[in-house]
């Protein structure tokens, strides 16, 4: 969109909406039109773009009771408004956009606003989510108005510089120094691998918010930064990290912070092989913790870290792992295509029932159609939620993760399909317990379940189905086994 000269001054805009007393429904369209006037953009309805740029996009695609976005501009953004004084609900509004972004043709930007606050997040394929957050009064600053202009004129400019593969290679490279320092002490490599995979998992769950933070640092980062300068850094770190692992095993309190109950055998009491880290390793770990581990790519994560932990394979780092697209060449025809055919058949069966539901002459007819739709949905969901996948030489879990993600994608597509609007909502139930693997190599085996769990919670966080179950992990010892598939 080519922008015009603004017709509303920043001072007038900020003053007009500073204390506006209106509900979300009463105010959001007027507010957005003023945003357009502020930055010189055309507003919905001022030019004939129909579904390409409109308010309340999605209403016409369902039964008229649910809109997918308050403002939609194809190939640019989707905006969900909340009423003033509902800032706490912006996270829920963002999750709603995440859940329905495919129905919105995957716009590059997902935006939530309550007039007082703006939160702009990216939605580019294979790229990490980046965010820009500012307040209403910040629009007096030219740089923030420039950000709003770009959502209309150049949404691609928000694309992050690095993709997930590059980020994963970067965090692995930072982790090399930690591993090198430990291996120089001639520790058992398998013991080192078990410990390092726990550290890696902690860094990930810290960055997605499953471990608590104090001020700006998560608890693992705080432990690293408060022990590395002490003369007895090695002993202090070992003591504090054991306290953290023990609390994660059962739930508890560490340094006045409540630690959620993780369990899942990963942090079982007494099973955490603590490897003391010296000052050099802690300095390297501190640098590694500065990276955002929430954006690693699980489909190559395991292989990269397996080579990080095995110096003999270090030369292969970043060169010979299997790309996720290559993994899909196997997983798609074997696992997903039969399920997609079943899903297509269910949709065809459901469409005439949906028409009966929408056009029902009375409550009894509508209820009858609703029950039939619910039964069809339940039948398809049961297939996706009960199918199991076995990789008899699973390595560090890359194929298992890709399979799990594709099943999650399909379950989401079923749950959010307009055919079911009006039925009770359901949560995601596809789970890591549906994947199985056999692997002989101790380091790869130690990584496999970590990769699956990281991928699972990353998917839930990225798709708006994030919540904290109790326990956070379940025992995967019977799913991913250290065993020879033939013998």
């Amino acid at each position: 969109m080519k922008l015009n000269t603004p017709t509303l001054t920043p001072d007038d805009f900020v003053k007009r909406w500073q204390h506006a007393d209106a509900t979300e429904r009463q105010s959001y369209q007027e507010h957005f039109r003023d945003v357009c006037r502020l930055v010189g953009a055309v507003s919905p309805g001022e030019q004939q773009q129909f579904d390409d740029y409109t308010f309340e996009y999605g209403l016409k695609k369902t039964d008229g009771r649910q809109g997918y976005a308050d403002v939609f501009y194809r190939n640019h953004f989707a905006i969900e408004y909340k009423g003033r004084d509902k800032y706490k609900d912006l996270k829920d509004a963002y999750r709603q956009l995440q859940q329905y972004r495919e129905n919105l043709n995957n716009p590059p930007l997902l935006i939530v606003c309550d007039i007082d606050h703006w939160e702009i997040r990216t939605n580019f394929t294979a790229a990490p989510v980046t965010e820009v957050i500012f307040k209403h009064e910040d629009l007096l600053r030219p740089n923030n108005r420039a950000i709003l202009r770009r959502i209309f004129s150049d949404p691609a400019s928000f694309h992050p510089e690095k993709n997930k593969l590059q980020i994963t290679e970067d965090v692995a490279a930072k982790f090399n120094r930690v591993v090198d320092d430990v291996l120089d002490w001639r520790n058992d490599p398998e013991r080192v691998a078990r410990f390092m995979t726990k550290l890696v998992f902690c860094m990930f769950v810290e960055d997605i918010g499953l471990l608590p933070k104090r001020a700006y640092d998560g608890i693992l980062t705080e432990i690293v930064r408060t022990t590395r300068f002490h003369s007895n850094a090695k002993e202090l770190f070992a003591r504090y990290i054991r306290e953290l692992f023990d609390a994660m095993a059962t739930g508890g309190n560490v340094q006045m912070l409540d630690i959620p109950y993780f369990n899942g055998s990963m942090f079982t009491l007494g099973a955490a092989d603590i490897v003391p880290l010296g000052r050099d390793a802690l300095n390297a770990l501190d640098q590694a913790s500065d990276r955002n581990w929430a954006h690693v790519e699980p489909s190559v994560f395991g292989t990269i870290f397996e080579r990080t932990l095995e110096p003999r394979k270090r030369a292969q780092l970043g060169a010979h792992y299997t790309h996720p697209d290559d993994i899909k060449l196997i997983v798609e025809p074997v696992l997903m295509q039969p399920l997609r055919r079943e899903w297509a058949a269910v949709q065809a069966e459901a469409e005439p029932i949906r028409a009966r539901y929408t056009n029902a002459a009375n409550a009894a007819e509508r209820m009858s159609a609703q029950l039939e739709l619910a039964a069809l949905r339940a039948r398809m969901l049961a297939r996706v939620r009960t199918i199991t996948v076995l990789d008899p030489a699973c390595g560090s879990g890359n194929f298992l993760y890709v399979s799990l993600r594709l099943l999650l994608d399909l379950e989401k597509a079923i749950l959010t399909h307009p055919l079911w609007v009006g039925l009770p909502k359901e949560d995601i139930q596809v789970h890591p317990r549906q994947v199985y693997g056999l692997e002989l190599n101790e380091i790869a085996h130690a990584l496999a379940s970590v990769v699956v769990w990281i991928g699972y919670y990353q998917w839930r966080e990225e798709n708006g189905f994030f919540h904290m179950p109790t326990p956070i992990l379940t025992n995967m010892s019977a799913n991913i086994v250290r065993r020879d598939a033939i013998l």
Side-chain angles (χ1 to χ4, degrees):
M1 175 187 288
K2 184 178 180 180
L3 298 187
N4 304 311
T5 302
T7 59
L8 185 65
T9 68
D11 284 338
D12 288 344
F13 176 82
V14 170
K15 288 177 182 177
R16 178 174 183 181
W17 291 99
Q18 190 83 48
H19 304 292
D21 183 17
T23 65
E24 172 194 349
R25 280 301 118 193
Q26 292 172 326
S27 63
Y28 88 87
Q29 292 189 14
E30 184 180 359
H31 178 266
F32 184 76
R33 289 191 179 98
D34 273 358
V35 168
C36 294
R37 294 171 61 207
L38 174 70
V39 301
V42 173
S43 61
E46 291 185 344
Q47 60 187 34
Q48 289 191 343
Q49 293 176 301
F50 302 103
D51 280 356
D52 285 341
Y53 185 29
T54 183
F55 291 117
E56 298 187 352
Y57 178 82
L59 288 175
K60 62 183 68 65
K61 293 192 174 184
T62 66
D63 65 351
R65 292 193 297 157
Q66 178 175 347
Y68 292 140
D70 291 325
V71 190
F72 173 70
Y73 187 3
R74 190 180 303 277
N75 299 323
H76 288 71
F77 57 75
I79 302 179
E80 186 69 22
Y81 272 90
K82 286 295 179 184
R84 178 173 263 126
D85 299 326
K86 293 185 178 180
Y87 179 59
K88 65 181 182 298
D89 295 334
L90 286 184
K91 183 175 290 186
D92 290 336
Y94 174 58
R95 287 174 179 168
Q96 180 180 335
L97 288 174
Q98 287 176 296
Q99 291 178 15
Y100 288 98
R101 62 189 176 190
E102 290 82 8
N103 301 69
L104 300 169
N105 301 284
N106 266 313
L109 303 175
L110 301 178
I111 303 171
V112 292
C113 179
D114 68 350
I115 298 180
D116 287 330
H117 305 85
W118 286 85
E119 297 184 0
I120 302 171
R121 292 180 177 84
T122 58
N123 183 42
F124 296 97
T125 302
V129 174
T130 59
E131 60 184 30
V132 180
I133 298 175
F134 53 87
K135 295 181 180 179
H136 171 70
E137 58 266 27
D138 293 334
L139 288 172
L140 291 173
R141 301 173 183 173
N143 61 315
N144 288 315
R145 297 198 300 278
I147 290 170
L148 282 187
R149 289 191 185 96
R150 284 164 52 209
I151 74 173
F152 293 94
S153 63
D154 190 14
S157 66
F158 288 85
H159 197 290
E161 294 181 2
K162 291 185 176 182
N163 61 34
K164 286 186 176 181
L165 291 176
Q166 293 169 320
I167 290 173
T168 308
E169 291 176 345
D170 181 40
V171 297
K174 292 296 180 185
F175 215 69
N176 282 352
R177 288 179 52 204
V178 184
V179 176
D180 287 343
D181 187 76
V182 173
L183 291 178
D184 283 345
W185 303 339
R186 301 182 183 278
N187 280 292
D188 178 358
E190 294 182 1
R191 178 168 169 252
V192 171
R194 289 193 297 271
F195 177 66
M196 291 299 171
T197 53
K198 292 177 176 64
L199 282 184
V200 163
F201 182 77
C202 286
M203 288 189 176
F204 170 77
V205 295
E206 179 178 86
D207 281 345
I208 65 169
L210 285 176
L211 279 178
K213 289 188 177 183
R214 186 174 9 244
Y216 298 104
D217 289 338
I219 185 168
L220 174 62
T221 303
E222 185 178 87
I223 288 172
V224 173
R225 289 180 177 168
T226 56
T227 58
R228 65 192 180 104
F229 294 116
H230 284 262
S231 57
N232 59 338
K234 189 185 301 184
E235 292 76 16
L236 276 178
F237 175 78
R239 188 178 88 194
Y240 291 146
I241 205 68
R242 179 177 291 280
E243 288 178 3
L244 176 60
F245 287 175
D246 288 350
M248 293 173 75
T250 60
N253 188 283
V254 176
Q255 298 182 20
M256 303 302 293
L257 292 174
D258 291 328
I259 308 300
Y261 172 31
F262 280 81
N263 196 11
S265 77
M266 190 183 297
F267 297 98
T268 301
L269 285 168
D273 293 312
I274 304 298
V275 177
L277 300 183
R279 185 169 296 171
D280 289 343
L282 288 172
N283 286 335
L285 189 59
D286 180 47
Q287 293 182 26
S289 68
D290 276 338
R291 299 303 190 265
N292 192 335
W293 290 69
H295 299 317
V296 297
E297 174 49 58
S299 61
V300 299
F301 179 86
T303 301
I304 289 178
F305 274 85
E306 180 185 347
R307 290 165 186 169
T308 298
L309 295 169
E310 292 200 60
R312 291 171 299 174
K313 297 182 178 182
R314 189 74 60 77
Q316 303 172 357
L317 184 61
H320 298 100
Y321 49 73
T322 305
H323 192 278
D325 289 343
D326 295 324
I327 297 175
K328 289 178 183 178
L329 291 176
I330 298 174
V331 176
E332 272 288 347
V334 174
L335 174 67
M336 299 308 299
Q337 285 183 13
L339 290 173
R340 295 191 202 284
R341 286 194 292 268
E342 290 183 46
W343 171 223
V346 166
Q347 291 177 76
E349 188 176 350
E351 284 172 0
I353 304 173
R354 180 72 209 188
R356 281 173 30 218
Y357 175 90
T358 303
N359 301 316
N362 53 59
E365 290 182 9
R366 178 177 286 263
M367 178 59 68
S368 175
Q370 181 175 334
L371 291 174
E372 291 182 58
L373 288 171
L376 281 175
R377 184 179 69 171
R379 187 180 81 195
M380 188 65 226
L381 287 172
R383 278 287 287 138
V384 178
R385 291 167 174 173
T386 57
I387 196 166
T388 55
V389 179
L390 169 67
D391 184 348
C394 70
S396 47
N398 300 339
F399 278 75
L400 296 180
Y401 158 71
V402 171
S403 299
L404 180 65
R405 183 178 184 94
L406 290 171
L407 289 173
L408 287 163
D409 286 342
L410 180 56
E411 186 185 22
K412 177 184 175 181
I414 296 167
L415 287 174
T416 60
H417 198 281
L419 279 168
W420 322 122
V421 171
L423 272 63
K425 289 186 177 181
E426 288 197 31
D427 191 17
I428 288 289
Q429 293 184 31
V430 166
H431 192 271
R433 69 174 68 91
Q434 293 174 234
V435 299
Y436 294 80
L438 304 175
E439 176 55 46
L440 266 178
N441 181 276
E442 173 68 26
I443 293 176
H445 171 257
L447 277 163
S449 61
V450 172
V451 166
V452 169
W453 281 116
I454 285 177
Y456 173 68
Y457 277 110
Q458 186 185 68
W459 186 95
R460 292 195 71 125
E461 198 272 341
E462 290 177 350
N463 286 271
F465 292 94
F466 187 77
H467 64 87
M468 190 182 296
T470 302
I472 291 172
L473 307 178
T474 55
N475 194 331
M476 295 283 286
S477 59
N479 289 67
I480 300 177
V481 181
R482 189 172 178 225
R483 182 180 300 171
D484 190 301
I486 298 176
L487 300 180

